[in-house]
Amino acid sequence: MRKLLTILGLGFALPVLADNLPLPSGTPASYKSECGSCHLPYPPALLAADHWRRIMSQLGDHFGSDATLDARQLQEIRTFLENAAGRPERLGSAGDPPRISQTQRFIRKHREVPARFWSDPRVKSAANCEACHRGAATGNFGEHDIAIRELRR
Ligand code: HEC
Ligand code: HEC
């Protein structure tokens, strides 16, 4: 972990802070209410437009859940996600169905997180960002706001 933090300490050269991902100011309220009811309303930049398109076309069977929307909200959220999506060349492949937690970028960023944290009953799933990132709800995924210390107990 110290090595990881050292590497991240050199991140000052990055044009944007990779760890600060608040929802964009134009986020429709429906995104937070509909796509934030079962889990975090994920930062749209963590999947590419094509990934979001695939997710939004399969909401009837959404990871085993029914997440269908009415036509107006479907259109509104899909447009928002595609416009705010991340660059595909930065994210890499995302699996099928696409998952943030399966993108090559996510895997690279989490490479040094020990396996026992992923399997901890308080974490359960890599999709459960806020189990580790205490500031996830406000878009803070920075190294100083990780609950690993708590998880170690
Ligand atoms: C009825 C509950 C429910 C609703 C509503 C819902 N989801 Fe999900 N979503 C899930 C479940 C369950 C998973 C799988 C979680 C896991 O693997 O632990 C999931 C996973 C995801 C993932 C993949 C997370 C990862 O592993 O990276 C994305 C992206 C996602 N949802 C986007 C959305 C979007 C966009 C909407 C709104 C259109 C939405 N979800 C609405 C239940 C829901
Ligand atoms: C098991 C704990 C755990 C879970 C669950 C988890 N993360 Fe992380 N994440 C970490 C750790 C530890 C780091 C490394 C510390 C760092 O990079 O700041 C990290 C790093 C990151 C970074 C890089 C931050 C940077 O400075 O570049 C992002 C972005 C991120 N996580 C997003 C997410 C998202 C989104 C989810 C849910 C889909 C998630 N994480 C789930 C533990 C976790």
Side-chain angles (χ1 to χ4, degrees):
M1 187 62 67
R2 181 175 302 152
K3 181 167 152 252
L4 175 75
L5 295 179
T6 308
I7 294 166
L8 287 162
L10 299 172
F12 59 83
L14 293 172
V16 285
L17 284 174
D19 56 3
N20 190 22
L21 298 161
L23 289 176
S25 53
T27 303
S30 58
Y31 183 63
K32 288 175 239 177
S33 61
E34 302 302 318
C35 304
S37 59
C38 298
H39 48 64
L40 190 77
Y42 296 117
L46 293 182
L47 283 177
D50 181 56
H51 301 144
W52 286 123
R53 209 171 291 127
R54 273 153 63 200
I55 286 180
M56 295 303 285
S57 65
Q58 309 167 18
L59 289 178
D61 181 7
H62 176 74
F63 303 94
S65 291
D66 181 354
T68 43
L69 297 166
D70 68 42
R72 191 186 58 79
Q73 287 180 327
L74 179 68
Q75 181 60 37
E76 180 177 59
I77 294 173
R78 186 166 42 197
T79 304
F80 160 68
L81 287 171
E82 289 180 21
N83 288 337
R87 297 216 311 274
E89 68 276 17
R90 289 191 53 157
L91 298 164
S93 59
D96 187 26
R99 281 180 177 270
I100 292 168
S101 57
Q102 294 288 306
T103 56
Q104 288 166 299
R105 179 182 167 83
F106 181 99
I107 293 167
R108 197 167 60 239
K109 290 276 183 186
H110 291 84
R111 202 164 34 200
E112 297 192 26
V113 181
R116 67 178 186 284
F117 291 140
W118 301 116
S119 55
D120 188 294
R122 288 163 292 184
V123 176
K124 291 192 231 63
S125 163
N128 194 10
C129 320
E130 62 272 42
C132 299
H133 295 279
R134 282 177 298 207
T138 53
N140 181 1
F141 292 93
E143 60 183 277
H144 300 300
D145 216 8
I146 304 267
I148 292 288
R149 226 174 282 118
E150 282 89 330
L151 286 170
R152 225 171 240 148
R153 284 189 200 127

